[in-house]
Amino acid sequence: MNNKSGQLSQSEKERRNSLKQEKPGAFEKIMKYDEKIKRGESIAILQLQYDYACNFACEHCCITRLRGNNPERVFTPKDVAELCRQADEMGLAHIVVTGGEPLIFPDLDEIVKAIDPKKFFISMDTNGWNLDDEKAKHLKSIGVDKIQLSLDSLTEDNHDAFRRKPGSHARCLTAIDAAQKAGLSIIVATVVTKERVRSQEFVDFLEFLNGKGVGVFVTYAKPVGAWEGKYDVMIDKDDMNYMKGLEKKYNVFTHLTPSYDLDLGCIAVKRMISITKYGDVLPCPYIHVSLGNFFKEPLKDIVERGLNIKLFGQYCDTCYVAEDRDFLENYETQKIYGKPLPVPYEEVFTKEDFIDPKDRKLYKE
């Protein structure tokens, strides 16, 4: 693990103590994460793309070509309950409700109830348009713990143009205040491109949000979805190292940042899976490969299959889709681009891509 002394950081202790008080069922599972990782087991966050209905049309939308391709069966609250029952048996403790835009889902309360908030830490992605004081208090009351709010510039015109929604910047700032007043944990998710990563605007952005007591989660721009083939937005290793420097100064992090004091590098499958509206399980939100379908086989079997793919079952210190040109050339460009999504794993990975479970290495010591 990254913490060679075996001692948890103070911030990690505080997070765990808070969770122990509020959701002991989830806390008990998280306390076993270290041993699960050492055994080569996933501790994945379930990113549930429950529905693709949305009131925005964002420039970079990563689920553009996932919509409507498999209408034979879609998630219902009953399916959510079964998904979470299986996830609980696997010792998983964190679910993210996303879409689309969850705050326009008519059955959102049923979804949260089906998750069983006593057993899971529940996050929710939102563009903030409908997150006012009343809605924030309601979300807290039904068991939602955390809001991940999308904001992409301090400048109103730039954010609104990127999200293609006039007035969305002002609504985001109001949503931050509403979440904090309601006692919801909140982070801001922001897209960072090659052009933006070293800009003064980005530093000012971090200082502004940290000044409001809000951490910033960086989503590196990726040439998938609506940005398929758009390689000019991508960062490189030097940019990643620059970001690590910012992490020492500001409350900013990426999916590569160690969490629970575990350095897992790329978190695909081992720390994150995405589940589409149609039941397909993806390694992460940006690798549009189906490892299997939840409606057709148990979640555990699908996750095990994913961990037996070398890319996901062994430690990697970069983001395949945001930075790794070899991955993009050998997998995305040749085997995923232009096909109906998600592409079945059999069409993307060959026998040489698989490893024996005993050869898994999920963490950096």
Side-chain angles (χ1 to χ4, degrees), residues 45-49 52 60-64 66 96 98-99 125 148 217 219 222 224-225 255 267-269 271-276 281-289 319 321 332 341-342:
I45 298 169
L46 279 67
Q47 193 224 35
L48 176 60
Q49 300 171 1
Y52 296 135
H60 70 307
C61 184
C62 69
I63 53 90
T64 300
L66 289 174
V96 179
T98 188
D125 290 342
Q148 182 167 295
F217 172 66
T219 298
K222 302 170 182 69
V224 298
H255 64 286
I267 63 172
V269 185
R271 183 75 184 102
M272 165 74 76
I273 54 173
S274 293
I275 305 160
T276 73
V281 178
L282 317 180
C284 81
Y286 309 102
I287 300 177
H288 296 148
V289 176
C319 176
V321 195
E332 287 286 343
L341 300 181

Short mmCIF file of all heavy atoms in Angstrom, two decimals, residues 45-49 52 60-64 66 96 98-99 125 148 217 219 222 224-225 255 267-269 271-276 281-289 319 321 332 341-342:
data_model
loop_
_atom_site.label_atom_id
_atom_site.label_comp_id
_atom_site.label_asym_id
_atom_site.label_seq_id
_atom_site.Cartn_x
_atom_site.Cartn_y
_atom_site.Cartn_z
N ILE A 45 -16.43 1.02 -6.73
CA ILE A 45 -17.60 1.89 -6.70
C ILE A 45 -18.49 1.46 -7.86
O ILE A 45 -18.01 1.22 -8.97
CB ILE A 45 -17.20 3.36 -6.89
CG1 ILE A 45 -16.29 3.82 -5.75
CG2 ILE A 45 -18.43 4.25 -7.01
CD1 ILE A 45 -15.64 5.17 -6.03
N LEU A 46 -19.79 1.36 -7.61
CA LEU A 46 -20.73 1.07 -8.69
C LEU A 46 -21.26 2.38 -9.24
O LEU A 46 -22.01 3.09 -8.57
CB LEU A 46 -21.91 0.22 -8.19
CG LEU A 46 -21.71 -1.28 -8.03
CD1 LEU A 46 -20.71 -1.58 -6.91
CD2 LEU A 46 -23.03 -1.96 -7.73
N GLN A 47 -20.86 2.73 -10.44
CA GLN A 47 -21.40 3.92 -11.09
C GLN A 47 -22.60 3.46 -11.92
O GLN A 47 -22.46 2.87 -12.98
CB GLN A 47 -20.34 4.59 -11.98
CG GLN A 47 -20.77 6.00 -12.41
CD GLN A 47 -20.52 6.28 -13.88
OE1 GLN A 47 -20.64 5.39 -14.73
NE2 GLN A 47 -20.22 7.51 -14.19
N LEU A 48 -23.79 3.73 -11.40
CA LEU A 48 -25.02 3.24 -12.03
C LEU A 48 -25.61 4.30 -12.95
O LEU A 48 -26.14 5.32 -12.51
CB LEU A 48 -26.04 2.85 -10.96
CG LEU A 48 -27.41 2.40 -11.48
CD1 LEU A 48 -27.28 1.17 -12.38
CD2 LEU A 48 -28.35 2.12 -10.32
N GLN A 49 -25.50 4.05 -14.26
CA GLN A 49 -26.08 4.95 -15.25
C GLN A 49 -27.56 4.55 -15.43
O GLN A 49 -27.94 3.94 -16.42
CB GLN A 49 -25.30 4.83 -16.57
CG GLN A 49 -23.83 5.18 -16.43
CD GLN A 49 -23.03 4.85 -17.68
OE1 GLN A 49 -23.55 4.36 -18.69
NE2 GLN A 49 -21.72 5.09 -17.63
N TYR A 52 -30.57 7.65 -19.20
CA TYR A 52 -29.82 8.65 -19.94
C TYR A 52 -30.61 9.92 -20.21
O TYR A 52 -30.15 10.81 -20.94
CB TYR A 52 -29.31 8.04 -21.26
CG TYR A 52 -28.33 6.91 -21.03
CD1 TYR A 52 -28.42 5.72 -21.73
CD2 TYR A 52 -27.32 7.03 -20.07
CE1 TYR A 52 -27.52 4.69 -21.51
CE2 TYR A 52 -26.42 6.01 -19.83
CZ TYR A 52 -26.53 4.83 -20.55
OH TYR A 52 -25.63 3.82 -20.33
N HIS A 60 -18.89 17.44 -24.26
CA HIS A 60 -17.99 16.29 -24.15
C HIS A 60 -18.70 15.00 -23.77
O HIS A 60 -18.04 14.00 -23.48
CB HIS A 60 -16.94 16.58 -23.08
CG HIS A 60 -17.51 16.59 -21.69
ND1 HIS A 60 -18.59 17.38 -21.35
CD2 HIS A 60 -17.19 15.91 -20.57
CE1 HIS A 60 -18.89 17.18 -20.08
NE2 HIS A 60 -18.06 16.28 -19.58
N CYS A 61 -20.02 14.97 -23.73
CA CYS A 61 -20.79 13.86 -23.17
C CYS A 61 -20.24 12.49 -23.57
O CYS A 61 -20.11 12.16 -24.76
CB CYS A 61 -22.24 13.96 -23.61
SG CYS A 61 -23.29 12.69 -22.87
N CYS A 62 -19.92 11.66 -22.54
CA CYS A 62 -19.27 10.37 -22.82
C CYS A 62 -20.27 9.25 -23.10
O CYS A 62 -19.86 8.15 -23.49
CB CYS A 62 -18.34 9.98 -21.67
SG CYS A 62 -19.19 9.54 -20.15
N ILE A 63 -21.56 9.50 -22.88
CA ILE A 63 -22.53 8.43 -23.09
C ILE A 63 -23.38 8.64 -24.35
O ILE A 63 -24.38 7.95 -24.56
CB ILE A 63 -23.44 8.24 -21.85
CG1 ILE A 63 -24.10 9.53 -21.40
CG2 ILE A 63 -22.64 7.66 -20.70
CD1 ILE A 63 -25.43 9.79 -22.04
N THR A 64 -22.94 9.57 -25.20
CA THR A 64 -23.71 9.92 -26.39
C THR A 64 -24.12 8.70 -27.20
O THR A 64 -25.28 8.55 -27.60
CB THR A 64 -22.88 10.87 -27.29
OG1 THR A 64 -22.57 12.05 -26.55
CG2 THR A 64 -23.66 11.24 -28.54
N LEU A 66 -24.07 5.55 -26.23
CA LEU A 66 -24.63 4.44 -25.46
C LEU A 66 -26.15 4.48 -25.42
O LEU A 66 -26.80 3.49 -25.10
CB LEU A 66 -24.09 4.49 -24.02
CG LEU A 66 -22.63 4.12 -23.81
CD1 LEU A 66 -22.23 4.37 -22.36
CD2 LEU A 66 -22.36 2.67 -24.18
N VAL A 96 -22.73 5.23 -7.01
CA VAL A 96 -22.97 6.56 -7.57
C VAL A 96 -24.17 6.47 -8.50
O VAL A 96 -24.15 5.69 -9.46
CB VAL A 96 -21.75 7.08 -8.35
CG1 VAL A 96 -22.05 8.46 -8.96
CG2 VAL A 96 -20.52 7.14 -7.47
N THR A 98 -26.09 8.03 -11.40
CA THR A 98 -25.79 9.00 -12.45
C THR A 98 -26.69 8.74 -13.64
O THR A 98 -27.64 7.97 -13.56
CB THR A 98 -24.29 8.93 -12.82
OG1 THR A 98 -23.96 10.00 -13.71
CG2 THR A 98 -23.92 7.60 -13.45
N GLY A 99 -26.41 9.38 -14.76
CA GLY A 99 -27.26 9.23 -15.93
C GLY A 99 -26.50 9.58 -17.19
O GLY A 99 -25.39 9.10 -17.39
N ASP A 125 -24.34 12.18 -9.06
CA ASP A 125 -23.85 13.17 -10.02
C ASP A 125 -24.99 14.12 -10.38
O ASP A 125 -26.15 13.69 -10.51
CB ASP A 125 -23.36 12.49 -11.30
CG ASP A 125 -22.08 11.71 -11.09
OD1 ASP A 125 -21.39 11.94 -10.09
OD2 ASP A 125 -21.77 10.86 -11.96
N GLN A 148 -21.77 15.12 -6.43
CA GLN A 148 -20.67 15.46 -7.32
C GLN A 148 -21.24 16.37 -8.40
O GLN A 148 -22.01 15.94 -9.26
CB GLN A 148 -20.04 14.21 -7.94
CG GLN A 148 -18.86 14.52 -8.85
CD GLN A 148 -18.04 13.30 -9.20
OE1 GLN A 148 -17.43 12.67 -8.35
NE2 GLN A 148 -18.02 12.95 -10.49
N PHE A 217 -12.66 17.43 -8.02
CA PHE A 217 -12.31 16.18 -8.69
C PHE A 217 -12.07 16.47 -10.16
O PHE A 217 -12.96 16.97 -10.86
CB PHE A 217 -13.42 15.15 -8.53
CG PHE A 217 -13.20 13.90 -9.36
CD1 PHE A 217 -12.14 13.05 -9.08
CD2 PHE A 217 -14.04 13.59 -10.41
CE1 PHE A 217 -11.92 11.92 -9.84
CE2 PHE A 217 -13.83 12.46 -11.18
CZ PHE A 217 -12.76 11.61 -10.89
N THR A 219 -11.63 15.46 -13.91
CA THR A 219 -11.87 14.46 -14.95
C THR A 219 -11.02 14.84 -16.15
O THR A 219 -11.28 15.86 -16.80
CB THR A 219 -13.36 14.44 -15.35
OG1 THR A 219 -14.16 14.08 -14.23
CG2 THR A 219 -13.61 13.44 -16.47
N LYS A 222 -11.04 13.03 -22.42
CA LYS A 222 -10.79 11.74 -23.07
C LYS A 222 -11.42 11.71 -24.46
O LYS A 222 -12.55 12.20 -24.64
CB LYS A 222 -11.36 10.61 -22.21
CG LYS A 222 -10.77 10.58 -20.80
CD LYS A 222 -11.51 9.62 -19.90
CE LYS A 222 -10.93 9.64 -18.49
NZ LYS A 222 -11.23 10.94 -17.79
N VAL A 224 -13.35 10.02 -26.26
CA VAL A 224 -14.43 9.04 -26.39
C VAL A 224 -15.76 9.77 -26.34
O VAL A 224 -15.81 10.97 -26.04
CB VAL A 224 -14.36 7.96 -25.28
CG1 VAL A 224 -13.06 7.18 -25.36
CG2 VAL A 224 -14.51 8.59 -23.90
N GLY A 225 -16.84 9.04 -26.58
CA GLY A 225 -18.15 9.67 -26.55
C GLY A 225 -18.27 10.72 -27.63
O GLY A 225 -17.89 10.51 -28.79
N HIS A 255 -8.87 10.42 -10.37
CA HIS A 255 -9.17 9.02 -10.06
C HIS A 255 -7.90 8.22 -9.79
O HIS A 255 -7.97 7.09 -9.30
CB HIS A 255 -9.98 8.37 -11.19
CG HIS A 255 -9.25 8.30 -12.50
ND1 HIS A 255 -9.04 9.40 -13.29
CD2 HIS A 255 -8.70 7.26 -13.16
CE1 HIS A 255 -8.38 9.06 -14.37
NE2 HIS A 255 -8.16 7.76 -14.33
N ILE A 267 -8.10 2.80 -11.80
CA ILE A 267 -9.09 2.16 -10.93
C ILE A 267 -10.09 1.28 -11.68
O ILE A 267 -10.98 0.70 -11.07
CB ILE A 267 -9.84 3.20 -10.08
CG1 ILE A 267 -10.65 4.15 -10.98
CG2 ILE A 267 -8.88 3.96 -9.18
CD1 ILE A 267 -11.57 5.08 -10.20
N ALA A 268 -9.95 1.16 -13.00
CA ALA A 268 -10.91 0.39 -13.78
C ALA A 268 -11.05 -1.03 -13.23
O ALA A 268 -10.07 -1.73 -13.02
CB ALA A 268 -10.50 0.34 -15.24
N VAL A 269 -12.25 -1.44 -12.96
CA VAL A 269 -12.67 -2.73 -12.41
C VAL A 269 -12.27 -2.87 -10.94
O VAL A 269 -13.10 -3.19 -10.10
CB VAL A 269 -12.14 -3.94 -13.22
CG1 VAL A 269 -12.73 -5.25 -12.65
CG2 VAL A 269 -12.54 -3.82 -14.69
N ARG A 271 -11.50 -0.61 -8.72
CA ARG A 271 -12.07 0.42 -7.84
C ARG A 271 -13.27 1.14 -8.46
O ARG A 271 -13.86 2.00 -7.85
CB ARG A 271 -10.96 1.44 -7.48
CG ARG A 271 -11.37 2.53 -6.52
CD ARG A 271 -11.47 2.00 -5.10
NE ARG A 271 -11.96 3.04 -4.19
CZ ARG A 271 -13.20 3.12 -3.73
NH1 ARG A 271 -14.11 2.22 -4.09
NH2 ARG A 271 -13.55 4.06 -2.90
N MET A 272 -13.63 0.76 -9.67
CA MET A 272 -14.76 1.40 -10.36
C MET A 272 -15.28 0.49 -11.45
O MET A 272 -14.51 -0.09 -12.21
CB MET A 272 -14.31 2.73 -10.97
CG MET A 272 -15.26 3.32 -12.01
SD MET A 272 -16.77 4.04 -11.30
CE MET A 272 -16.14 5.58 -10.63
N ILE A 273 -16.59 0.33 -11.50
CA ILE A 273 -17.24 -0.24 -12.67
C ILE A 273 -18.43 0.66 -13.00
O ILE A 273 -18.99 1.31 -12.12
CB ILE A 273 -17.73 -1.69 -12.47
CG1 ILE A 273 -18.63 -1.81 -11.24
CG2 ILE A 273 -16.56 -2.65 -12.41
CD1 ILE A 273 -19.29 -3.17 -11.08
N SER A 274 -18.77 0.70 -14.26
CA SER A 274 -19.95 1.45 -14.69
C SER A 274 -20.98 0.46 -15.22
O SER A 274 -20.63 -0.48 -15.93
CB SER A 274 -19.59 2.45 -15.79
OG SER A 274 -18.76 3.46 -15.28
N ILE A 275 -22.23 0.70 -14.87
CA ILE A 275 -23.30 -0.19 -15.28
C ILE A 275 -24.31 0.63 -16.08
O ILE A 275 -24.87 1.61 -15.58
CB ILE A 275 -23.98 -0.84 -14.06
CG1 ILE A 275 -22.92 -1.56 -13.21
CG2 ILE A 275 -25.07 -1.81 -14.49
CD1 ILE A 275 -23.33 -1.82 -11.80
N THR A 276 -24.49 0.26 -17.33
CA THR A 276 -25.34 1.06 -18.21
C THR A 276 -26.82 0.84 -17.90
O THR A 276 -27.21 -0.10 -17.20
CB THR A 276 -25.10 0.71 -19.69
OG1 THR A 276 -25.68 -0.56 -19.98
CG2 THR A 276 -23.62 0.69 -20.02
N VAL A 281 -21.90 -4.08 -18.01
CA VAL A 281 -20.93 -3.67 -17.01
C VAL A 281 -19.64 -3.28 -17.72
O VAL A 281 -19.03 -4.10 -18.42
CB VAL A 281 -20.66 -4.79 -16.00
CG1 VAL A 281 -19.61 -4.36 -14.97
CG2 VAL A 281 -21.96 -5.17 -15.28
N LEU A 282 -19.24 -2.01 -17.56
CA LEU A 282 -18.06 -1.47 -18.22
C LEU A 282 -16.91 -1.36 -17.21
O LEU A 282 -17.15 -1.15 -16.02
CB LEU A 282 -18.34 -0.08 -18.81
CG LEU A 282 -19.67 0.14 -19.55
CD1 LEU A 282 -19.75 1.57 -20.06
CD2 LEU A 282 -19.82 -0.86 -20.69
N PRO A 283 -15.65 -1.44 -17.66
CA PRO A 283 -14.52 -1.29 -16.74
C PRO A 283 -14.48 0.06 -16.04
O PRO A 283 -14.02 0.18 -14.90
CB PRO A 283 -13.30 -1.48 -17.64
CG PRO A 283 -13.79 -2.21 -18.84
CD PRO A 283 -15.21 -1.74 -19.04
N CYS A 284 -14.94 1.10 -16.72
CA CYS A 284 -15.02 2.45 -16.17
C CYS A 284 -15.97 3.23 -17.07
O CYS A 284 -16.40 2.72 -18.11
CB CYS A 284 -13.63 3.10 -16.08
SG CYS A 284 -13.03 3.81 -17.63
N PRO A 285 -16.31 4.48 -16.74
CA PRO A 285 -17.26 5.21 -17.58
C PRO A 285 -16.79 5.49 -19.00
O PRO A 285 -17.59 5.83 -19.86
CB PRO A 285 -17.47 6.52 -16.81
CG PRO A 285 -17.07 6.23 -15.41
CD PRO A 285 -15.98 5.22 -15.52
N TYR A 286 -15.47 5.36 -19.25
CA TYR A 286 -14.90 5.81 -20.52
C TYR A 286 -14.38 4.69 -21.40
O TYR A 286 -14.01 4.92 -22.55
CB TYR A 286 -13.77 6.82 -20.24
CG TYR A 286 -14.23 7.92 -19.30
CD1 TYR A 286 -13.87 7.90 -17.96
CD2 TYR A 286 -15.06 8.93 -19.75
CE1 TYR A 286 -14.32 8.89 -17.09
CE2 TYR A 286 -15.52 9.92 -18.90
CZ TYR A 286 -15.14 9.90 -17.57
OH TYR A 286 -15.60 10.87 -16.71
N ILE A 287 -14.31 3.47 -20.88
CA ILE A 287 -13.91 2.32 -21.70
C ILE A 287 -15.20 1.57 -22.04
O ILE A 287 -15.74 0.83 -21.21
CB ILE A 287 -12.91 1.42 -20.96
CG1 ILE A 287 -11.65 2.20 -20.62
CG2 ILE A 287 -12.56 0.20 -21.82
CD1 ILE A 287 -10.62 1.42 -19.81
N HIS A 288 -15.69 1.79 -23.24
CA HIS A 288 -17.01 1.32 -23.61
C HIS A 288 -16.97 -0.12 -24.14
O HIS A 288 -17.33 -0.41 -25.28
CB HIS A 288 -17.64 2.28 -24.62
CG HIS A 288 -17.87 3.64 -24.04
ND1 HIS A 288 -17.81 4.81 -24.77
CD2 HIS A 288 -18.14 4.02 -22.76
CE1 HIS A 288 -18.04 5.84 -23.99
NE2 HIS A 288 -18.25 5.39 -22.77
N VAL A 289 -16.54 -0.99 -23.24
CA VAL A 289 -16.46 -2.43 -23.50
C VAL A 289 -17.33 -3.13 -22.47
O VAL A 289 -17.21 -2.89 -21.26
CB VAL A 289 -15.01 -2.93 -23.38
CG1 VAL A 289 -14.96 -4.45 -23.54
CG2 VAL A 289 -14.12 -2.25 -24.41
N CYS A 319 -3.82 6.70 -16.76
CA CYS A 319 -5.20 6.52 -17.22
C CYS A 319 -5.15 6.10 -18.68
O CYS A 319 -4.66 6.84 -19.53
CB CYS A 319 -5.99 7.82 -17.07
SG CYS A 319 -7.67 7.71 -17.74
N VAL A 321 -7.35 5.83 -21.03
CA VAL A 321 -8.11 6.58 -22.03
C VAL A 321 -7.70 8.05 -22.10
O VAL A 321 -7.85 8.69 -23.13
CB VAL A 321 -9.62 6.47 -21.75
CG1 VAL A 321 -10.43 6.93 -22.95
CG2 VAL A 321 -10.01 5.04 -21.41
N GLU A 332 -8.84 1.25 -28.48
CA GLU A 332 -9.91 2.19 -28.83
C GLU A 332 -10.04 2.36 -30.35
O GLU A 332 -11.10 2.12 -30.93
CB GLU A 332 -9.66 3.55 -28.18
CG GLU A 332 -9.91 3.59 -26.68
CD GLU A 332 -11.39 3.57 -26.31
OE1 GLU A 332 -12.23 3.85 -27.19
OE2 GLU A 332 -11.68 3.27 -25.15
N LEU A 341 -22.04 0.62 -29.40
CA LEU A 341 -21.51 0.53 -28.03
C LEU A 341 -22.55 0.00 -27.05
O LEU A 341 -23.74 0.23 -27.22
CB LEU A 341 -21.04 1.92 -27.58
CG LEU A 341 -19.95 2.59 -28.41
CD1 LEU A 341 -19.59 3.95 -27.83
CD2 LEU A 341 -18.71 1.71 -28.52
N PRO A 342 -22.05 -0.69 -25.99
CA PRO A 342 -20.66 -1.07 -25.76
C PRO A 342 -20.27 -2.29 -26.60
O PRO A 342 -21.11 -3.12 -26.93
CB PRO A 342 -20.63 -1.39 -24.27
CG PRO A 342 -22.02 -1.89 -23.97
CD PRO A 342 -22.93 -1.08 -24.85
#
